[in-house]
Amino acid sequence: MSPEEVQRAMLDRFGIRVQPEMSRYILAHLQKSATAEIPVMGSHARTGLPVRQHIPLGALQEQPPAVSPGA
């Protein structure tokens, strides 16, 4: 997983925009262990307000649910 993929996963799965530095931080923790939670700081995707949330690392490695073309 690349830092750009981490940024996309955070946006798609949690609605949090993270900066490149934070995505590298998350990626470093993903490479160590996927069972822990990590505090993530970013901004809410719609409002831009600052967000600090604990994210389970395993949730970033899971595949997102498939979206049907008619949805």
Side-chain angles (χ1 to χ4, degrees):
M1 189 176 244
S2 70
E4 293 80 17
E5 290 172 327
V6 170
Q7 286 179 303
R8 175 55 58 191
M10 289 298 299
L11 181 60
D12 291 345
R13 296 177 189 167
F14 303 104
I16 299 174
R17 291 187 194 279
V18 295
Q19 297 295 318
E21 295 83 10
M22 179 56 68
S23 66
R24 287 191 294 272
Y25 173 77
I26 294 167
L27 188 57
H29 281 278
L30 275 173
Q31 293 169 347
K32 289 181 188 175
S33 170
T35 59
E37 288 188 345
I38 183 173
V40 174
M41 295 184 296
S43 62
H44 188 272
R46 289 188 181 169
T47 63
L49 293 173
V51 173
R52 182 169 190 243
Q53 185 172 347
H54 283 81
I55 303 293
L57 291 176
L60 286 174
Q61 291 181 330
E62 297 172 359
Q63 295 297 322
V67 177
S68 63

